[in-house]
Amino acid sequence: MDETSSDVLILGAGVIGLACALYLRRAGFGVRVLDQAAPGAGASHGNCGTITPSHAPPLTMPGSLGVAWHALWHRDAPLYINPRVDLERLRWLFGFARHCNRRDFEHAVHARAAILGRSRRLLAELVRAEGIECEFVEAGELYVYRDRATFEADLRHHADVLDRLGITVERLDGMAVEAREPALKPGVVGGLFHPGDARLRPDRYVEGLARRVRELGGVIESDARVEGFETDGRQVRRVHTRRGTFVADHVVLALGAWSPRVARGLGLRLPMQPGKGYSITYARPRLAPRHALVLRESAVCVTTWDSGYRLGSTMEFSGYAEGLNRARLDALRRGAASALHEPEGPRVEEEWWGWRPMSVDEIPIIGPSTRYANLSLATAHGMLGVSMSAATGELIAAQLTGTPPALDPTPYAPARFGI
């Protein structure tokens, strides 16, 4: 088949790939985006849609290993690790464990805070400037506690970390939380409100990004699964797909959880694992929460839009196992039922699962490859792809144009892993 040439070829039409495409088109590059399915069909589609500078603290914190060990024996736990033997996953877990120390935690929390804060500001500008109708609301996010010990632990750790980072967090007693959020059942002991957080409908955000890329002259190719590469040792010369062969001056790998598998074709080993998440989308209930909520004891995220209502979250490390795990969906329902007067909407619109691209150090991998002069990576955003999307696109565009980036790119560079 004939080769198709572009300035920049982006592998992946999820929220990260499309954000990169939009910022690169704004910078004047000819852009072509390839995806094995349709734009936004992966983890971009069914997540909770919260924009969360408050999520700067990573999972790699001292004490996480004890939680992970307990999770081995409970299939419906908020964090679940399938005990099936998987050497790649085992290698990743050992690497993750090595990062669960105070020094690496502090490094990660500052790196995540920087990109989350920058992206939060950019995203508000982006949806307005580009006319993206995605129900973007700047109303904050509320963590809700029904257990005193859990609340006090988060006051000492989560809230204190945010204070040090300069991220506003309001401490509330139980009465204040219930007054602010009538959708909650009585029995709340306290809350943490993050006024700088926001929410949007992620599927509509991704649709808006794809629309603007096309309107600005970019091309998006669906059903273009990557099947192989041709290289000359220092350059990626050709990308072979089921839709044909593509060439470009520069290639951006933004394939989310699929990135490690595709990168093998380039001889690169990405220290990532898929972290499976779940959500249930309903028609909006009559008494829907006013704010995005995190029900801390059950680790259930609750998001309300004008057009619907979603329960989501959980983290399952089961490799690339596909399909819905009914125990995980039931756990979402139980968690919501324990806290909300109307935990479910009048009808179910979708039950969903997707793979989040989890890096071993809980910091995204963004920037030029050390192996190939014309390859950049934009992946491993974990649970925060939507939240980090705008700043990732901006950073990739700055690096390709050679302009000074708004963020220090060092913490995110692939060079830290020799890739």
Side-chain angles (χ1 to χ4, degrees):
M1 300 179 71
D2 292 339
E3 295 180 344
T4 302
S5 181
S6 309
D7 293 341
V8 182
L9 186 65
I10 299 174
L11 310 183
V15 69
I16 297 298
L18 291 171
C20 290
L22 181 55
Y23 277 92
L24 287 165
R25 277 303 299 143
R26 284 176 157 189
F29 290 94
V31 172
R32 186 176 299 270
V33 186
L34 308 182
D35 200 88
Q36 65 178 350
S44 306
H45 175 79
N47 67 51
C48 289
T50 49
I51 313 302
T52 50
S54 65
H55 284 36
L59 293 177
T60 48
M61 64 181 68
S64 291
L65 296 181
V67 175
W69 176 256
H70 177 76
L72 280 172
W73 319 112
H74 300 275
R75 295 184 71 245
D76 60 352
L79 169 64
Y80 173 61
I81 302 174
N82 189 312
R84 177 178 54 85
V85 175
D86 179 330
L87 293 181
E88 285 188 12
R89 189 182 57 187
L90 189 61
R91 184 183 299 113
W92 183 90
L93 287 169
F94 277 122
F96 181 90
R98 286 195 296 271
H99 288 285
C100 292
N101 60 74
R102 179 55 57 183
R103 180 180 61 84
D104 287 347
F105 174 83
E106 290 295 329
H107 174 70
V109 78
H110 282 89
R112 287 158 60 94
I115 191 170
L116 284 166
R118 177 65 182 169
S119 202
R120 169 67 179 85
R121 294 187 293 274
L122 286 175
L123 207 150
E125 299 167 3
L126 183 69
V127 297
R128 293 173 183 131
E130 302 294 346
I132 297 175
E133 298 293 337
C134 58
E135 301 186 54
F136 179 70
V137 177
E138 299 176 283
E141 183 176 50
L142 180 61
Y143 285 21
V144 179
Y145 300 82
R146 310 183 81 83
D147 174 73
R148 177 67 61 182
T150 304
F151 182 43
E152 291 178 352
D154 273 11
L155 286 173
R156 291 191 303 272
H157 302 295
H158 175 82
D160 285 351
V161 169
L162 296 188
D163 287 342
R164 289 193 287 108
L165 294 168
I167 299 172
T168 302
V169 55
E170 299 174 10
R171 284 87 163 162
L172 305 173
D173 63 25
M175 291 181 61
V177 173
E178 291 177 6
R180 182 173 293 198
E181 192 49 84
L184 291 167
K185 290 179 177 178
V188 175
V189 301
L192 296 176
F193 181 62
H194 308 91
D197 289 2
R199 67 178 185 265
L200 52 72
R201 181 135 188 172
D203 51 346
R204 297 186 180 181
Y205 173 54
V206 174
E207 288 169 5
L209 290 175
R211 174 181 58 81
R212 288 300 294 146
V213 168
R214 291 185 174 112
E215 289 173 351
L216 293 171
V219 178
I220 301 173
E221 306 268 6
S222 299
D223 194 31
R225 181 190 292 270
V226 175
E227 296 180 337
F229 299 93
E230 290 181 33
T231 72
D232 64 4
R234 282 295 296 161
Q235 299 269 340
V236 179
R237 292 301 186 187
R238 292 175 178 81
V239 179
H240 299 295
T241 80
R242 64 172 55 169
R243 289 284 300 273
T245 298
F246 297 86
V247 299
D249 296 332
H250 203 90
V251 177
V252 178
L253 193 154
L255 283 164
W258 288 103
S259 298
R261 291 195 161 186
V262 174
R264 287 178 193 164
L266 292 167
L268 302 178
R269 174 172 285 178
L270 274 58
M272 296 168 56
Q273 273 287 300
K276 199 173 186 182
Y278 295 84
S279 69
I280 310 171
T281 305
Y282 299 89
R284 180 174 170 145
R286 180 188 57 82
L287 184 58
R290 297 171 178 174
H291 304 88
L293 304 178
V294 175
L295 310 176
R296 280 291 289 125
E297 287 77 24
S298 58
V300 173
C301 179
V302 184
T303 313
T304 302
W305 307 293
D306 289 343
S307 63
Y309 171 81
R310 181 168 289 169
L311 306 178
S313 194
T314 81
M315 179 66 75
E316 175 184 336
F317 288 103
S318 296
Y320 286 92
E322 299 186 5
L324 291 168
N325 181 334
R326 187 59 53 182
R328 313 293 287 169
L329 295 178
D330 290 345
L332 292 177
R333 291 189 171 96
R334 285 197 305 274
S338 70
L340 297 165
H341 288 294
E342 292 187 48
E344 301 183 40
R347 67 178 182 279
V348 174
E349 295 184 344
E350 183 179 25
E351 294 179 332
W352 174 91
W353 66 271
W355 289 316
R356 308 179 183 106
M358 306 298 294
S359 69
V360 74
D361 62 358
E362 274 275 90
I363 302 172
I365 303 172
I366 309 167
S369 168
T370 62
R371 175 82 173 272
Y372 297 99
N374 68 334
L375 175 69
S376 292
L377 293 94
T379 189
H381 293 78
M383 297 178 284
L384 300 172
V386 173
S387 289
M388 295 180 177
S389 59
T392 299
E394 180 192 52
L395 180 55
I396 289 290
Q399 291 174 332
L400 266 63
T401 57
T403 57
L407 285 173
D408 175 6
T410 307
Y412 320 104
R416 72 189 192 272
F417 298 123
I419 55 176

